[in-house]
Amino acid sequence: MVVIAGLVGWSVVENRRHDSALESCNQAVKPLQEKTGPARMARYREAFGVKGDQVKDAKTVANMSSSAKAVGGLKQPTVACKAPMSTVDLNAEAGRARKLDGEYAAVSKAARAVLESKDAKTLEDAETALNTKKDEASKLLGDSDGKVADNATRDNLQQAIDQAGQVKGDEAKAYHDAAGSLQAAIDQVNVSMQAKSQADQQAAAQAAQASQQSAQKQGTTQRRSTTTNSGRKGYTQSRRPSGNRGGGGGGSSQAPAAPSAPQGGNGSTDWHQWVDQTTPSKCHPGEFCPIG
């Protein structure tokens, strides 16, 4: 009876210890399960994949790497507290759950720091990009004055610049959206400038072609005029000298014929003798002397 009573008492105590260990194990596993749920694990892995150049503070990336190694590389932990397990096993599992819970608390903190640093870097980059785009837009607005086919594109660009200047807050998306609107307005102005440039080039080419055609036409007219005048200058009308016969009025008469040269004894003309006889006294034989 005493032995039986002792065994019964021991069994009751042992059952109470087992139930206590089971409850303790479940309590240890509960916060760990919250820290290692699917959404949390996905967030840890996202932070673990962030590089040093993607964050504002590179130390956060190093801390995340160390925390991830401590829990075995962010593998889903398996901790189970089951009634068939012995009290010793339950206590051991509860201890492992508490240890993992502490390690994953560090992982959670490190992941949060990494992602916040990444967001800060993203916001900073977005602000810088928007400021750069505003400077580009302002320069283009000045350079495009009088050089666009449609001035409405410059008005749209000015409006986009004004709206970009009003962007504030800690949401990178707002800065990205403003930069996108600026880029769209910049593209419209550039297209309009290109259209104006092409139109001006075409107009200049047409003007040059018209000027060339006019010059060619004028040159043809001048050559024709020169040819006509040259033909007129080359034509001369021969006239016979007029003279009066006696007291007759105005009748024309033929010029007296030049005296015939004397013939030599052999039938040839003796020119030297003829010139000596017919040349005035002021002329000398062998020299040129006008006749008439």
Side-chain angles (χ1 to χ4, degrees):
M1 293 291 294
V2 173
V3 172
I4 294 173
L7 291 174
V8 172
W10 177 85
S11 178
V12 171
V13 172
E14 185 63 24
N15 288 337
R16 289 178 179 177
R17 289 179 178 176
H18 181 272
D19 292 342
S20 178
L22 180 60
E23 179 65 19
S24 178
C25 184
N26 288 328
Q27 291 296 327
V29 169
K30 186 176 180 180
L32 176 62
Q33 289 175 340
E34 293 176 354
K35 292 183 179 66
T36 59
R40 286 286 191 93
M41 292 300 293
R43 184 174 174 84
Y44 301 155
R45 294 187 182 101
E46 177 188 356
F48 185 72
V50 174
K51 306 301 181 183
D53 58 350
Q54 295 177 287
V55 295
K56 195 171 182 179
D57 183 5
K59 291 181 180 179
T60 59
V61 174
N63 292 336
M64 180 64 201
S65 178
S66 299
S67 299
K69 289 180 180 179
V71 295
L74 299 177
K75 296 179 180 179
Q76 183 69 44
T78 56
V79 179
C81 300
K82 299 178 181 181
M85 296 172 62
S86 66
T87 302
V88 174
D89 291 340
L90 288 172
N91 289 332
E93 196 71 1
R96 194 169 74 88
R98 293 187 187 96
K99 181 176 181 295
L100 286 173
D101 182 70
E103 291 173 346
Y104 270 97
V107 170
S108 179
K109 183 178 179 180
R112 182 172 62 253
V114 168
L115 296 178
E116 287 177 353
S117 185
K118 180 183 178 183
D119 291 342
K121 179 70 162 53
T122 301
L123 178 61
E124 184 181 74
D125 292 345
E127 291 176 350
T128 301
L130 179 58
N131 290 332
T132 301
K133 191 61 65 177
K134 285 194 297 185
D135 293 340
E136 179 185 350
S138 297
K139 184 177 184 303
L140 179 61
L141 186 65
D143 294 343
S144 62
D145 188 14
K147 299 179 182 179
V148 293
D150 183 5
N151 201 59
T153 57
R154 297 183 70 252
D155 295 338
N156 293 337
L157 180 59
Q158 180 64 70
Q159 184 178 2
I161 293 173
D162 295 340
Q163 292 176 349
Q166 299 175 0
V167 176
K168 297 179 181 179
D170 56 357
E171 292 293 333
K173 184 177 183 301
Y175 294 89
H176 286 305
D177 292 344
S181 298
L182 274 176
Q183 186 60 57
I186 288 173
D187 292 340
Q188 290 178 356
V189 171
N190 285 330
V191 170
S192 188
M193 289 179 66
Q194 185 177 5
K196 178 70 162 54
S197 177
Q198 291 177 348
D200 291 346
Q201 291 177 2
Q202 185 177 4
Q206 291 176 349
Q209 184 178 6
S211 177
Q212 183 180 6
Q213 292 175 350
S214 177
Q216 291 176 351
K217 183 177 180 181
Q218 184 177 2
T220 301
T221 303
Q222 290 178 349
R223 287 194 296 271
R224 289 176 179 175
S225 177
T226 301
T227 302
T228 303
N229 292 335
S230 298
R232 291 178 178 176
K233 290 179 180 180
Y235 171 76
T236 55
Q237 183 177 4
S238 61
R239 294 183 180 179
R240 296 182 178 182
S242 61
N244 294 330
R245 296 181 179 178
S252 61
S253 61
Q254 294 181 349
S260 58
Q263 302 293 325
N266 57 0
S268 63
T269 302
D270 189 355
W271 288 102
H272 291 288
Q273 182 180 1
W274 182 82
V275 171
D276 290 343
Q277 294 175 357
T278 59
T279 301
S281 60
K282 61 182 180 179
C283 296
H284 301 281
E287 294 181 358
F288 172 77
C289 181
I291 301 175

